[in-house]
Amino acid sequence: MTPPPRQFILAMEGVTKTFDGFRAINGLNFYMDEGELRVIIGPNGAGKSTMLDLITGRTRPDAGKVEFGRDTDLTRLNEYEIARLGIGRKFQTPSVYIDHTVEENIWLSIEGRRGVWACLFSRLRPSDRDRIHEVLETIGLTDRAASKAGALSHGQKQWLEIGMLLAQNPRLLLVDEPAAGMTDDETVRTGELLLSLAGRHSIVVIEHDMVFVRQIARTVTVLHQGSILCEGTVDQVQNDERVMEVYLGRKKKGQSTAP
Ligand code: ADP
Ligand code: MG
């Protein structure tokens, strides 16, 4: 008997995106399993952020397939429809409501579609209260629930924004360079947070910091000039000749510090 076809949470096939004649994404094939935490690395300009834009509908591909779950063709949907399917994205710079408390920020993101005003003048439902507490617990900000978001450290703001995405219970979470600008301690805690979310959510993390990548990565995908250069464990990709060449600009035998 032939086994059933493998079920991916995300499948990108033959995807191409050109900006003014420049191929930012070039025949990209990318597959991810449900519940997987996948790390994507690659030099500046490799097309990492564009890849996320193609998943969220911010950018349309010129060619190729972008499929979510069993049979949802994301290229036919707009950004709003894609977000509603349960695909959440965290950009590099945190965007939280700095004049609202941490707790209110989570609440606003649960209720987001009703608008800020409707939300502030309505009562908190018990089910929302439980959900808010659960999210605060997950992101480690329970003791800051009543603080203004503007008073949080950079790292804490990043966790709050991850919490705001979690409040919407996404199936797929896309996180662009979460450790940028964080202290070493915050970086480690971010890694622990993402690891705790894997399994319950499928997560794509784009990251430069190789210490962080080593902490969280099971499978690393290396993107270069808009397609996949190689895929494997951290050790496999760090020892791959092609990866060393891309990061160092030349071949270096016997050195395993790249990227
Ligand atoms: P990375 O995130 O890996 O650093 P990007 O995906 O941001 O790379 O960019 C890949 C390439 O595509 C870069 O050369 C960038 O200048 C170009 N690019 C990305 N978005 C646009 C856009 N909206 N218009 C024109 N060029 C773009
Ligand atoms: Mg980028």
Side-chain angles (χ1 to χ4, degrees), residues 189-214:
R189 292 184 58 184
T190 302
E192 286 164 357
L193 169 59
L194 293 172
L195 285 170
S196 78
L197 299 176
R200 273 184 291 159
H201 309 267
S202 308
I203 311 173
V204 175
V205 181
I206 290 178
E207 192 47 63
H208 279 297
D209 177 342
M210 288 308 291
V211 176
F212 181 67
V213 170
R214 189 167 282 283

PDB file of all heavy atoms in Angstrom, residues 189-214:
ATOM      1  N   ARG A 189      15.652  33.771  26.987  1.00  0.00           N
ATOM      2  CA  ARG A 189      14.247  33.619  27.385  1.00  0.00           C
ATOM      3  C   ARG A 189      13.312  33.598  26.174  1.00  0.00           C
ATOM      4  O   ARG A 189      12.290  32.911  26.186  1.00  0.00           O
ATOM      5  CB  ARG A 189      13.856  34.728  28.366  1.00  0.00           C
ATOM      6  CG  ARG A 189      14.578  34.546  29.701  1.00  0.00           C
ATOM      7  CD  ARG A 189      14.157  35.554  30.731  1.00  0.00           C
ATOM      8  NE  ARG A 189      12.719  35.500  30.990  1.00  0.00           N
ATOM      9  CZ  ARG A 189      12.092  36.331  31.807  1.00  0.00           C
ATOM     10  NH1 ARG A 189      12.759  37.271  32.423  1.00  0.00           N
ATOM     11  NH2 ARG A 189      10.791  36.236  32.000  1.00  0.00           N
ATOM     12  N   THR A 190      13.685  34.337  25.134  1.00  0.00           N
ATOM     13  CA  THR A 190      12.888  34.311  23.904  1.00  0.00           C
ATOM     14  C   THR A 190      12.955  32.929  23.261  1.00  0.00           C
ATOM     15  O   THR A 190      11.952  32.402  22.781  1.00  0.00           O
ATOM     16  CB  THR A 190      13.400  35.388  22.920  1.00  0.00           C
ATOM     17  OG1 THR A 190      13.320  36.652  23.570  1.00  0.00           O
ATOM     18  CG2 THR A 190      12.580  35.418  21.645  1.00  0.00           C
ATOM     19  N   GLY A 191      14.146  32.353  23.299  1.00  0.00           N
ATOM     20  CA  GLY A 191      14.317  30.998  22.781  1.00  0.00           C
ATOM     21  C   GLY A 191      13.451  30.005  23.529  1.00  0.00           C
ATOM     22  O   GLY A 191      12.773  29.160  22.932  1.00  0.00           O
ATOM     23  N   GLU A 192      13.446  30.142  24.869  1.00  0.00           N
ATOM     24  CA  GLU A 192      12.622  29.232  25.683  1.00  0.00           C
ATOM     25  C   GLU A 192      11.142  29.412  25.359  1.00  0.00           C
ATOM     26  O   GLU A 192      10.392  28.433  25.259  1.00  0.00           O
ATOM     27  CB  GLU A 192      12.859  29.505  27.179  1.00  0.00           C
ATOM     28  CG  GLU A 192      14.216  28.987  27.651  1.00  0.00           C
ATOM     29  CD  GLU A 192      14.640  29.556  28.995  1.00  0.00           C
ATOM     30  OE1 GLU A 192      13.914  30.400  29.565  1.00  0.00           O
ATOM     31  OE2 GLU A 192      15.732  29.165  29.468  1.00  0.00           O
ATOM     32  N   LEU A 193      10.733  30.663  25.158  1.00  0.00           N
ATOM     33  CA  LEU A 193       9.330  30.948  24.824  1.00  0.00           C
ATOM     34  C   LEU A 193       8.962  30.274  23.493  1.00  0.00           C
ATOM     35  O   LEU A 193       7.947  29.568  23.405  1.00  0.00           O
ATOM     36  CB  LEU A 193       9.113  32.467  24.737  1.00  0.00           C
ATOM     37  CG  LEU A 193       7.783  32.945  24.159  1.00  0.00           C
ATOM     38  CD1 LEU A 193       6.599  32.414  24.973  1.00  0.00           C
ATOM     39  CD2 LEU A 193       7.731  34.483  24.122  1.00  0.00           C
ATOM     40  N   LEU A 194       9.788  30.465  22.490  1.00  0.00           N
ATOM     41  CA  LEU A 194       9.467  29.885  21.171  1.00  0.00           C
ATOM     42  C   LEU A 194       9.445  28.361  21.238  1.00  0.00           C
ATOM     43  O   LEU A 194       8.570  27.716  20.651  1.00  0.00           O
ATOM     44  CB  LEU A 194      10.469  30.376  20.114  1.00  0.00           C
ATOM     45  CG  LEU A 194      10.369  31.879  19.793  1.00  0.00           C
ATOM     46  CD1 LEU A 194      11.513  32.323  18.901  1.00  0.00           C
ATOM     47  CD2 LEU A 194       9.016  32.209  19.142  1.00  0.00           C
ATOM     48  N   LEU A 195      10.396  27.790  21.992  1.00  0.00           N
ATOM     49  CA  LEU A 195      10.412  26.321  22.137  1.00  0.00           C
ATOM     50  C   LEU A 195       9.135  25.827  22.816  1.00  0.00           C
ATOM     51  O   LEU A 195       8.595  24.780  22.460  1.00  0.00           O
ATOM     52  CB  LEU A 195      11.645  25.881  22.945  1.00  0.00           C
ATOM     53  CG  LEU A 195      12.980  25.921  22.197  1.00  0.00           C
ATOM     54  CD1 LEU A 195      14.142  25.698  23.165  1.00  0.00           C
ATOM     55  CD2 LEU A 195      13.017  24.878  21.081  1.00  0.00           C
ATOM     56  N   SER A 196       8.648  26.611  23.786  1.00  0.00           N
ATOM     57  CA  SER A 196       7.437  26.186  24.499  1.00  0.00           C
ATOM     58  C   SER A 196       6.194  26.262  23.609  1.00  0.00           C
ATOM     59  O   SER A 196       5.197  25.608  23.869  1.00  0.00           O
ATOM     60  CB  SER A 196       7.234  27.034  25.770  1.00  0.00           C
ATOM     61  OG  SER A 196       6.699  28.310  25.437  1.00  0.00           O
ATOM     62  N   LEU A 197       6.268  27.074  22.559  1.00  0.00           N
ATOM     63  CA  LEU A 197       5.110  27.244  21.664  1.00  0.00           C
ATOM     64  C   LEU A 197       5.074  26.210  20.544  1.00  0.00           C
ATOM     65  O   LEU A 197       4.023  25.929  19.974  1.00  0.00           O
ATOM     66  CB  LEU A 197       5.134  28.641  21.028  1.00  0.00           C
ATOM     67  CG  LEU A 197       5.055  29.815  21.994  1.00  0.00           C
ATOM     68  CD1 LEU A 197       5.195  31.126  21.233  1.00  0.00           C
ATOM     69  CD2 LEU A 197       3.740  29.789  22.755  1.00  0.00           C
ATOM     70  N   ALA A 198       6.264  25.659  20.229  1.00  0.00           N
ATOM     71  CA  ALA A 198       6.338  24.681  19.140  1.00  0.00           C
ATOM     72  C   ALA A 198       5.473  23.474  19.500  1.00  0.00           C
ATOM     73  O   ALA A 198       5.315  23.146  20.667  1.00  0.00           O
ATOM     74  CB  ALA A 198       7.781  24.254  18.922  1.00  0.00           C
ATOM     75  N   GLY A 199       4.907  22.845  18.500  1.00  0.00           N
ATOM     76  CA  GLY A 199       4.008  21.722  18.757  1.00  0.00           C
ATOM     77  C   GLY A 199       2.566  22.201  18.753  1.00  0.00           C
ATOM     78  O   GLY A 199       1.759  21.761  17.970  1.00  0.00           O
ATOM     79  N   ARG A 200       2.287  23.194  19.631  1.00  0.00           N
ATOM     80  CA  ARG A 200       0.938  23.758  19.662  1.00  0.00           C
ATOM     81  C   ARG A 200       0.707  24.674  18.463  1.00  0.00           C
ATOM     82  O   ARG A 200      -0.407  24.856  18.000  1.00  0.00           O
ATOM     83  CB  ARG A 200       0.726  24.563  20.948  1.00  0.00           C
ATOM     84  CG  ARG A 200       0.238  23.700  22.097  1.00  0.00           C
ATOM     85  CD  ARG A 200      -0.052  24.569  23.305  1.00  0.00           C
ATOM     86  NE  ARG A 200       1.185  25.127  23.866  1.00  0.00           N
ATOM     87  CZ  ARG A 200       1.237  26.204  24.636  1.00  0.00           C
ATOM     88  NH1 ARG A 200       0.144  26.877  24.902  1.00  0.00           N
ATOM     89  NH2 ARG A 200       2.386  26.617  25.133  1.00  0.00           N
ATOM     90  N   HIS A 201       1.790  25.320  18.013  1.00  0.00           N
ATOM     91  CA  HIS A 201       1.729  26.187  16.840  1.00  0.00           C
ATOM     92  C   HIS A 201       2.860  25.765  15.904  1.00  0.00           C
ATOM     93  O   HIS A 201       3.846  25.210  16.352  1.00  0.00           O
ATOM     94  CB  HIS A 201       1.962  27.651  17.221  1.00  0.00           C
ATOM     95  CG  HIS A 201       1.099  28.143  18.336  1.00  0.00           C
ATOM     96  ND1 HIS A 201      -0.100  28.769  18.122  1.00  0.00           N
ATOM     97  CD2 HIS A 201       1.252  28.083  19.677  1.00  0.00           C
ATOM     98  CE1 HIS A 201      -0.639  29.093  19.286  1.00  0.00           C
ATOM     99  NE2 HIS A 201       0.155  28.678  20.249  1.00  0.00           N
ATOM    100  N   SER A 202       2.710  26.029  14.627  1.00  0.00           N
ATOM    101  CA  SER A 202       3.832  25.885  13.712  1.00  0.00           C
ATOM    102  C   SER A 202       4.504  27.254  13.654  1.00  0.00           C
ATOM    103  O   SER A 202       3.819  28.271  13.614  1.00  0.00           O
ATOM    104  CB  SER A 202       3.344  25.496  12.325  1.00  0.00           C
ATOM    105  OG  SER A 202       2.494  24.362  12.422  1.00  0.00           O
ATOM    106  N   ILE A 203       5.833  27.269  13.701  1.00  0.00           N
ATOM    107  CA  ILE A 203       6.530  28.553  13.832  1.00  0.00           C
ATOM    108  C   ILE A 203       7.687  28.656  12.838  1.00  0.00           C
ATOM    109  O   ILE A 203       8.497  27.740  12.715  1.00  0.00           O
ATOM    110  CB  ILE A 203       7.108  28.716  15.263  1.00  0.00           C
ATOM    111  CG1 ILE A 203       6.037  28.400  16.315  1.00  0.00           C
ATOM    112  CG2 ILE A 203       7.676  30.125  15.466  1.00  0.00           C
ATOM    113  CD1 ILE A 203       6.562  28.382  17.739  1.00  0.00           C
ATOM    114  N   VAL A 204       7.741  29.779  12.137  1.00  0.00           N
ATOM    115  CA  VAL A 204       8.900  30.097  11.299  1.00  0.00           C
ATOM    116  C   VAL A 204       9.633  31.249  11.975  1.00  0.00           C
ATOM    117  O   VAL A 204       9.036  32.283  12.266  1.00  0.00           O
ATOM    118  CB  VAL A 204       8.474  30.554   9.881  1.00  0.00           C
ATOM    119  CG1 VAL A 204       9.700  30.995   9.077  1.00  0.00           C
ATOM    120  CG2 VAL A 204       7.725  29.442   9.156  1.00  0.00           C
ATOM    121  N   VAL A 205      10.925  31.050  12.253  1.00  0.00           N
ATOM    122  CA  VAL A 205      11.727  32.102  12.871  1.00  0.00           C
ATOM    123  C   VAL A 205      12.863  32.471  11.924  1.00  0.00           C
ATOM    124  O   VAL A 205      13.620  31.600  11.492  1.00  0.00           O
ATOM    125  CB  VAL A 205      12.344  31.630  14.213  1.00  0.00           C
ATOM    126  CG1 VAL A 205      13.149  32.756  14.851  1.00  0.00           C
ATOM    127  CG2 VAL A 205      11.270  31.141  15.168  1.00  0.00           C
ATOM    128  N   ILE A 206      12.967  33.743  11.606  1.00  0.00           N
ATOM    129  CA  ILE A 206      14.103  34.227  10.834  1.00  0.00           C
ATOM    130  C   ILE A 206      15.103  34.787  11.835  1.00  0.00           C
ATOM    131  O   ILE A 206      14.718  35.552  12.719  1.00  0.00           O
ATOM    132  CB  ILE A 206      13.664  35.331   9.860  1.00  0.00           C
ATOM    133  CG1 ILE A 206      12.808  34.724   8.761  1.00  0.00           C
ATOM    134  CG2 ILE A 206      14.874  36.056   9.272  1.00  0.00           C
ATOM    135  CD1 ILE A 206      12.287  35.715   7.771  1.00  0.00           C
ATOM    136  N   GLU A 207      16.354  34.398  11.745  1.00  0.00           N
ATOM    137  CA  GLU A 207      17.297  34.869  12.751  1.00  0.00           C
ATOM    138  C   GLU A 207      18.729  34.903  12.230  1.00  0.00           C
ATOM    139  O   GLU A 207      19.109  34.141  11.363  1.00  0.00           O
ATOM    140  CB  GLU A 207      17.204  33.973  13.991  1.00  0.00           C
ATOM    141  CG  GLU A 207      17.908  34.494  15.206  1.00  0.00           C
ATOM    142  CD  GLU A 207      17.637  35.957  15.522  1.00  0.00           C
ATOM    143  OE1 GLU A 207      16.494  36.314  15.808  1.00  0.00           O
ATOM    144  OE2 GLU A 207      18.592  36.755  15.487  1.00  0.00           O
ATOM    145  N   HIS A 208      19.505  35.844  12.781  1.00  0.00           N
ATOM    146  CA  HIS A 208      20.924  35.987  12.429  1.00  0.00           C
ATOM    147  C   HIS A 208      21.824  35.411  13.520  1.00  0.00           C
ATOM    148  O   HIS A 208      22.890  34.899  13.242  1.00  0.00           O
ATOM    149  CB  HIS A 208      21.295  37.472  12.316  1.00  0.00           C
ATOM    150  CG  HIS A 208      20.909  38.080  11.028  1.00  0.00           C
ATOM    151  ND1 HIS A 208      21.442  37.655   9.826  1.00  0.00           N
ATOM    152  CD2 HIS A 208      20.045  39.065  10.723  1.00  0.00           C
ATOM    153  CE1 HIS A 208      20.909  38.375   8.851  1.00  0.00           C
ATOM    154  NE2 HIS A 208      20.045  39.227   9.367  1.00  0.00           N
ATOM    155  N   ASP A 209      21.385  35.598  14.768  1.00  0.00           N
ATOM    156  CA  ASP A 209      22.211  35.270  15.925  1.00  0.00           C
ATOM    157  C   ASP A 209      22.374  33.744  16.027  1.00  0.00           C
ATOM    158  O   ASP A 209      21.443  33.035  16.390  1.00  0.00           O
ATOM    159  CB  ASP A 209      21.510  35.846  17.161  1.00  0.00           C
ATOM    160  CG  ASP A 209      22.226  35.532  18.469  1.00  0.00           C
ATOM    161  OD1 ASP A 209      23.067  34.602  18.499  1.00  0.00           O
ATOM    162  OD2 ASP A 209      21.919  36.206  19.468  1.00  0.00           O
ATOM    163  N   MET A 210      23.571  33.243  15.713  1.00  0.00           N
ATOM    164  CA  MET A 210      23.774  31.793  15.632  1.00  0.00           C
ATOM    165  C   MET A 210      23.735  31.104  16.995  1.00  0.00           C
ATOM    166  O   MET A 210      23.455  29.918  17.084  1.00  0.00           O
ATOM    167  CB  MET A 210      25.070  31.451  14.884  1.00  0.00           C
ATOM    168  CG  MET A 210      24.978  31.698  13.385  1.00  0.00           C
ATOM    169  SD  MET A 210      23.536  30.908  12.579  1.00  0.00           S
ATOM    170  CE  MET A 210      23.959  29.181  12.685  1.00  0.00           C
ATOM    171  N   VAL A 211      24.021  31.857  18.078  1.00  0.00           N
ATOM    172  CA  VAL A 211      23.900  31.262  19.416  1.00  0.00           C
ATOM    173  C   VAL A 211      22.422  30.956  19.675  1.00  0.00           C
ATOM    174  O   VAL A 211      22.050  29.878  20.149  1.00  0.00           O
ATOM    175  CB  VAL A 211      24.469  32.216  20.503  1.00  0.00           C
ATOM    176  CG1 VAL A 211      24.243  31.641  21.891  1.00  0.00           C
ATOM    177  CG2 VAL A 211      25.947  32.473  20.256  1.00  0.00           C
ATOM    178  N   PHE A 212      21.601  31.919  19.299  1.00  0.00           N
ATOM    179  CA  PHE A 212      20.148  31.767  19.436  1.00  0.00           C
ATOM    180  C   PHE A 212      19.639  30.642  18.530  1.00  0.00           C
ATOM    181  O   PHE A 212      18.845  29.798  18.956  1.00  0.00           O
ATOM    182  CB  PHE A 212      19.489  33.105  19.086  1.00  0.00           C
ATOM    183  CG  PHE A 212      18.000  33.111  19.211  1.00  0.00           C
ATOM    184  CD1 PHE A 212      17.388  32.984  20.444  1.00  0.00           C
ATOM    185  CD2 PHE A 212      17.195  33.263  18.092  1.00  0.00           C
ATOM    186  CE1 PHE A 212      16.005  33.003  20.560  1.00  0.00           C
ATOM    187  CE2 PHE A 212      15.821  33.284  18.189  1.00  0.00           C
ATOM    188  CZ  PHE A 212      15.221  33.151  19.433  1.00  0.00           C
ATOM    189  N   VAL A 213      20.114  30.623  17.303  1.00  0.00           N
ATOM    190  CA  VAL A 213      19.699  29.575  16.358  1.00  0.00           C
ATOM    191  C   VAL A 213      20.029  28.204  16.938  1.00  0.00           C
ATOM    192  O   VAL A 213      19.214  27.277  16.922  1.00  0.00           O
ATOM    193  CB  VAL A 213      20.376  29.771  14.980  1.00  0.00           C
ATOM    194  CG1 VAL A 213      20.144  28.558  14.080  1.00  0.00           C
ATOM    195  CG2 VAL A 213      19.855  31.035  14.305  1.00  0.00           C
ATOM    196  N   ARG A 214      21.227  28.096  17.513  1.00  0.00           N
ATOM    197  CA  ARG A 214      21.642  26.817  18.099  1.00  0.00           C
ATOM    198  C   ARG A 214      20.737  26.418  19.271  1.00  0.00           C
ATOM    199  O   ARG A 214      20.437  25.247  19.470  1.00  0.00           O
ATOM    200  CB  ARG A 214      23.105  26.915  18.543  1.00  0.00           C
ATOM    201  CG  ARG A 214      23.718  25.609  18.967  1.00  0.00           C
ATOM    202  CD  ARG A 214      25.226  25.701  19.082  1.00  0.00           C
ATOM    203  NE  ARG A 214      25.883  25.655  17.786  1.00  0.00           N
ATOM    204  CZ  ARG A 214      26.064  24.553  17.070  1.00  0.00           C
ATOM    205  NH1 ARG A 214      25.637  23.390  17.504  1.00  0.00           N
ATOM    206  NH2 ARG A 214      26.665  24.602  15.902  1.00  0.00           N
TER     207      ARG A 214
END
